[in-house]
Amino acid sequence: MVAPTHPDPCGARCETADALRTLRNLLEAAMNEAARIRAGAALGNADRFQVNEAVDLGREALALAGILGAVPAAATDADASLTTEHRDAA
């Protein structure tokens, strides 16, 4: 199987660090907004279409987790315990 590619991959460690920082900030904001939505919905402030959209966004968040979980630690100087092969062997 060929690894999926992106048309503009991070070309250096500093670009990867910037992308991770951006993602971390966006995720923090998303967590805050998700908590606001959940609290508002508990008060009845969400219609069925908004609930469906929230569920869809949750699925997209799971897809994001899959993408980030598939980052190939074996191709870097990351700790060996992070690689899938090491976890599978345990």
Side-chain angles (χ1 to χ4, degrees):
M1 174 187 275
V2 175
T5 60
H6 187 276
D8 182 26
C10 290
R13 287 179 185 231
C14 61
E15 287 185 22
T16 301
D18 287 345
L20 288 167
R21 187 173 19 267
T22 298
L23 192 54
R24 185 180 321 276
N25 292 338
L26 291 169
L27 286 172
E28 183 179 334
M31 292 289 288
N32 181 57
E33 294 301 318
R36 289 182 63 226
I37 292 165
R38 183 180 57 198
L43 296 171
N45 297 325
D47 62 33
R48 62 187 172 142
F49 300 107
Q50 291 169 326
V51 171
N52 287 338
E53 185 175 1
V55 170
D56 287 344
L57 287 170
R59 288 188 186 116
E60 289 182 29
L62 289 174
L64 175 62
I67 293 168
L68 292 173
V71 171
T76 70
D77 58 356
D79 187 290
S81 67
L82 298 175
T83 65
T84 303
E85 295 79 18
H86 184 272
R87 286 188 303 236
D88 290 345

